[in-house]
Amino acid sequence: SATLDAAESSTDFLSSWQDGPKNKIMDWVKSTTTEGSTDFIPEKDRIAVFDNDGTLWSEQPYYFQLAFAIDEVKRLAPENPDWEKDPSLNALIKGDMAGFMAGGEKALLKAVAVTHSEMTVDEFDARVKNWIKTATHPKTGKHYNEMIFQPMLELLQYLRANGFKTFIVSGGGIDFMRAWTEEAYGIPPYQVVGSQFGLSYVDTTASPELIKIPELVFLDDKGEKPVGIYRNIGKRPVFAGGNSDGDYQMLQYTSTGDGARFGLIVHHTDSVREVAYDRESHIGQLNKGLDDAAKYNWLIVDMAKDWKVIYPYELK
Amino acid sequence: SATLDAAESSTDFLSSWQDGPKNKIMDWVKSTTTEGSTDFIPEKDRIAVFDNDGTLWSEQPYYFQLAFAIDEVKRLAPENPDWEKDPSLNALIKGDMAGFMAGGEKALLKAVAVTHSEMTVDEFDARVKNWIKTATHPKTGKHYNEMIFQPMLELLQYLRANGFKTFIVSGGGIDFMRAWTEEAYGIPPYQVVGSQFGLSYVDTTASPELIKIPELVFLDDKGEKPVGIYRNIGKRPVFAGGNSDGDYQMLQYTSTGDGARFGLIVHHTDSVREVAYDRESHIGQLNKGLDDAAKYNWLIVDMAKDWKVIYPYELK
Ligand SMILES: [Ca+2]
Ligand SMILES: [Ca+2]
């Protein structure tokens, strides 16, 4: 059993959290993991789900997966001369970011499609692993996997130490995340739920492979998040964490189940240490979540006030 | 870690297996879990996948999930008078099994659709749990979850004791299996991969629910088994067990990966204790698997010769 013994339970897992939210989380975990408590949840039902972008790591000025796509288009352009015929890809290759962005969603999807398909899953995995090791964020200069949230890391570890299984349920690409989430968060590939491209099993060679095909078969966002949860996990979660209205249904599905439930929303309030945005943001927009937090008893985490540190590297 | 310590490793996990296949399995497990061995597999990569029907439990005279559908049609017929208008459902309701079967695949799918959709996932789960507790097999008179294979149960436990994660990858319905596989095999819902009906998140009530919709969105068979594996697990397995040509690609995908691999085919050779069938069977047909077993080094398990007992109740 992964449950704490007496000695371990005295560890201060949530040391980057201020006392207010920290005590709310710890009180709930204590009441749901103490046998005989009316709120007790058996270990097999301790399913905790977390959005990724903006919840476990940063997402500004654009989703980090888009940064990967952009970097990959530039890296691979010399091998793909036909990409220059596409106006938005061409803008990107020439370093004209505004011209690329002017292409809107269609341009973004094009950049994602050409960098996320027509290759084996192993090749894609290797590319993401290489990128995450080498690429850096335009503003902080840090590697992207250094821009994960220290308090959320502590929360994941704390929940696991108390017998919870931690899952990612993200609108991000499932294969993109799986390449680095085990190392970054301690969450193995089979506990990652995300958006999916098509896959095709090709056994015409001595070494059969799965090929990624350029067709989005599942967009794990909004009302599809509960669907993705049921498809890949098969149980209604008891703990959910998100940051935007894309997580509303996941939080709602979690919080309206029977018995003790915990919902948490990371509110990006820190313009100094991170980025402040919510109701008007083009990324990670948060309206309904703020409006209905009281109704569902969701904990709104004020990043500026509730977190002593944001990123792990601040501790070094 | 779930890895064995010295004392536990002396336990005879595979006591229902004859020495030949037992030693092959144990030698492989020993070589892949001994640090320093050239075949060593890190614990995080010890993914083992198993087909269900005909591999972990029996599947004759028809898939047990079809038995569930048939029983449910009969049970629910009084509440659904319109079912009598459908010739094949009407035959079933009247007890005319031959008449029902004459409707072919279309009749089967109809019986499955009306018993597997248009309800919440929780309601479906409760129905399967009730059925598995009460229904009995037409030939043995045993509950269906008593007709699981004792040697395979031992194999699952043995692999888990050696740090492997055990997954089901079956053509059967994912929600049908999840209702009872945790208790029967020790395999939790999030380690079950299977065929899937559509799901819809309905939040128009105070208690939002997932509703099963009558549309098959994923058939987890043949070349789709490696696809299902990658979608739900995200890693190439190192151990695979199956019984029919529907498992061929799963076994092939497993066995052609780099490093040490183990493939196993349950060959139904025992006409006395179970049912003998292979190349000519309408259920669980096994041709290519027998033809190519040597090529891929798959272990053909001869049920009549290699298993001392078939079902757990024989031990009582
Ligand atoms: Ca988000
Ligand atoms: Ca089978």
Side-chain angles (χ1 to χ4, degrees):
Chain A
S1 158
T3 305
L4 289 176
D5 64 24
E8 283 176 315
S9 68
S10 64
T11 307
D12 184 9
F13 279 95
L14 305 180
S15 56
S16 298
W17 292 74
Q18 299 290 359
D19 284 346
K22 177 174 166 173
N23 290 336
K24 278 183 187 155
I25 294 168
M26 289 184 70
D27 287 350
W28 185 87
V29 167
K30 201 175 168 189
S31 76
T32 55
T33 58
T34 303
E35 248 175 296
S37 156
T38 52
D39 286 339
F40 181 72
I41 300 171
E43 195 163 331
K44 71 183 178 57
D45 295 326
R46 292 181 202 160
I47 303 293
V49 292
F50 293 88
D51 170 61
N52 184 43
D53 298 308
T55 298
L56 297 182
W57 73 351
S58 287
E59 61 182 347
Q60 299 279 5
Y62 36 73
Y63 294 130
F64 292 178
Q65 188 172 359
L66 181 58
F68 165 73
I70 290 170
D71 289 348
E72 286 287 280
V73 166
K74 291 175 182 169
R75 182 178 73 84
L76 297 164
E79 303 164 29
N80 295 276
D82 55 313
W83 288 357
E84 288 183 17
K85 293 173 198 154
D86 181 285
S88 55
L89 288 185
N90 191 45
L92 195 52
I93 294 162
K94 298 284 180 288
D96 172 15
M97 197 64 189
F100 169 65
M101 288 296 192
E105 195 179 354
K106 207 182 145 197
L108 304 185
L109 286 175
K110 181 79 187 174
V112 169
V114 300
T115 54
H116 285 67
S117 61
E118 313 281 16
M119 70 188 89
T120 70
V121 294
D122 292 338
E123 170 66 19
F124 182 75
D125 185 70
R127 290 183 184 187
V128 178
K129 282 188 165 78
N130 185 59
W131 176 82
I132 206 101
K133 216 181 287 178
T134 55
T136 52
H137 187 269
K139 189 177 152 196
T140 65
K142 298 287 179 184
H143 294 296
Y144 290 96
N145 58 356
E146 294 179 281
M147 294 180 67
I148 57 181
F149 299 138
Q150 173 65 25
M152 296 304 282
L153 275 186
E154 295 171 3
L155 177 56
L156 291 172
Q157 285 159 355
Y158 174 61
L159 288 172
R160 289 196 292 258
N162 281 281
F164 289 80
K165 293 260 177 205
T166 54
F167 290 81
I168 290 172
V169 178
S170 166
I174 191 166
D175 299 340
F176 174 78
M177 293 185 286
R178 283 167 164 171
W180 54 271
T181 51
E182 187 152 26
E183 198 181 318
Y185 307 132
I187 296 180
Y190 44 86
Q191 287 170 214
V192 176
V193 184
S195 296
Q196 303 191 346
F197 274 96
L199 287 175
S200 180
Y201 182 66
V202 178
D203 61 356
T204 48
T205 65
S207 174
E209 293 289 352
L210 285 167
I211 306 290
K212 287 171 72 74
I213 55 183
E215 175 204 1
L216 190 68
V217 297
F218 186 66
L219 180 62
D220 191 35
D221 196 27
K222 301 196 168 70
E224 293 301 289
K225 283 208 174 190
V227 170
I229 287 170
Y230 208 78
R231 290 209 183 297
N232 279 49
I233 304 176
K235 291 199 175 195
R236 196 164 187 153
V238 296
F239 192 113
N243 78 301
S244 81
D245 286 348
D247 303 314
Y248 185 91
Q249 287 87 350
M250 172 172 85
L251 285 157
Q252 182 189 50
Y253 179 59
T254 300
S255 295
T256 52
D258 292 334
R261 305 285 162 145
F262 202 99
L264 167 163
I265 293 176
V266 175
H267 189 190
H268 292 261
T269 52
D270 196 322
S271 62
V272 179
R273 298 181 300 172
E274 208 236 5
V275 186
Y277 60 99
D278 49 27
R279 293 183 188 272
E280 305 298 326
S281 179
H282 66 294
I283 283 179
Q285 189 173 48
L286 179 65
N287 275 315
K288 282 175 73 185
L290 290 174
D291 293 342
D292 291 350
K295 175 180 170 187
Y296 291 116
N297 198 28
W298 293 333
L299 174 67
I300 302 291
V301 176
D302 182 328
M303 282 179 73
K305 291 185 187 157
D306 292 340
W307 286 0
K308 297 180 189 171
V309 300
I310 306 279
Y311 300 122
Y313 58 77
E314 296 169 30
L315 294 173
K316 282 168 191 165
Chain B
S1 159
T3 305
L4 289 176
D5 64 22
E8 283 175 314
S9 69
S10 64
T11 306
D12 184 7
F13 279 94
L14 304 179
S15 56
S16 298
W17 291 74
Q18 299 290 358
D19 284 346
K22 178 173 165 173
N23 290 335
K24 279 184 186 156
I25 294 168
M26 290 183 69
D27 287 350
W28 185 87
V29 167
K30 200 174 168 191
S31 77
T32 55
T33 59
T34 303
E35 248 175 295
S37 156
T38 51
D39 286 339
F40 180 72
I41 300 171
E43 195 163 330
K44 70 182 178 59
D45 295 327
R46 294 183 201 158
I47 303 293
V49 293
F50 292 89
D51 171 60
N52 184 44
D53 298 308
T55 298
L56 297 182
W57 72 351
S58 287
E59 61 181 348
Q60 298 279 5
Y62 37 74
Y63 293 131
F64 292 178
Q65 188 172 0
L66 181 58
F68 165 73
I70 289 170
D71 289 347
E72 286 287 279
V73 166
K74 291 177 181 168
R75 181 178 74 83
L76 298 165
E79 302 164 28
N80 296 276
D82 57 311
W83 288 357
E84 288 183 16
K85 293 173 200 154
D86 181 284
S88 55
L89 289 185
N90 190 46
L92 194 51
I93 294 163
K94 298 284 181 287
D96 172 15
M97 197 64 191
F100 169 67
M101 289 296 193
E105 196 180 353
K106 207 180 145 199
L108 304 185
L109 286 175
K110 181 78 186 174
V112 169
V114 299
T115 55
H116 285 67
S117 61
E118 313 282 17
M119 70 189 89
T120 69
V121 294
D122 293 339
E123 169 66 19
F124 182 74
D125 184 70
R127 290 183 185 188
V128 177
K129 283 188 165 78
N130 184 60
W131 177 82
I132 206 102
K133 217 182 287 178
T134 56
T136 52
H137 187 270
K139 187 175 154 198
T140 65
K142 298 288 179 184
H143 294 296
Y144 291 95
N145 58 355
E146 295 178 281
M147 294 179 66
I148 57 183
F149 300 139
Q150 174 64 25
M152 296 304 282
L153 275 186
E154 295 170 3
L155 176 57
L156 291 172
Q157 285 159 355
Y158 174 62
L159 288 172
R160 288 196 292 259
N162 282 282
F164 289 80
K165 294 262 178 205
T166 54
F167 291 81
I168 291 172
V169 178
S170 167
I174 191 166
D175 299 340
F176 174 78
M177 292 185 285
R178 283 167 164 171
W180 54 271
T181 51
E182 186 152 28
E183 199 182 318
Y185 306 132
I187 296 180
Y190 43 86
Q191 286 170 214
V192 177
V193 185
S195 296
Q196 302 193 345
F197 273 96
L199 287 175
S200 179
Y201 182 65
V202 177
D203 61 356
T204 49
T205 66
S207 174
E209 293 289 353
L210 285 167
I211 307 290
K212 287 172 71 74
I213 55 183
E215 175 205 0
L216 190 68
V217 298
F218 186 67
L219 180 61
D220 191 36
D221 196 28
K222 300 193 168 71
E224 293 301 287
K225 284 208 173 191
V227 171
I229 287 169
Y230 208 77
R231 291 210 181 297
N232 281 47
I233 304 175
K235 290 197 177 198
R236 195 164 187 154
V238 296
F239 192 112
N243 78 300
S244 82
D245 286 348
D247 303 313
Y248 185 91
Q249 287 85 352
M250 172 173 85
L251 284 157
Q252 183 189 49
Y253 178 59
T254 300
S255 295
T256 53
D258 291 335
R261 307 283 162 145
F262 201 100
L264 167 164
I265 293 175
V266 175
H267 189 191
H268 291 261
T269 51
D270 195 323
S271 61
V272 179
R273 297 181 299 172
E274 209 237 6
V275 185
Y277 60 99
D278 50 29
R279 293 183 188 271
E280 304 298 327
S281 178
H282 66 296
I283 283 179
Q285 190 174 48
L286 179 65
N287 275 316
K288 280 174 72 185
L290 291 174
D291 293 342
D292 291 350
K295 174 179 171 188
Y296 291 116
N297 198 28
W298 293 332
L299 175 67
I300 302 292
V301 176
D302 182 326
M303 282 178 73
K305 290 186 189 157
D306 292 339
W307 286 359
K308 297 180 189 171
V309 299
I310 306 279
Y311 300 122
Y313 58 76
E314 296 170 31
L315 294 173
K316 284 168 191 168

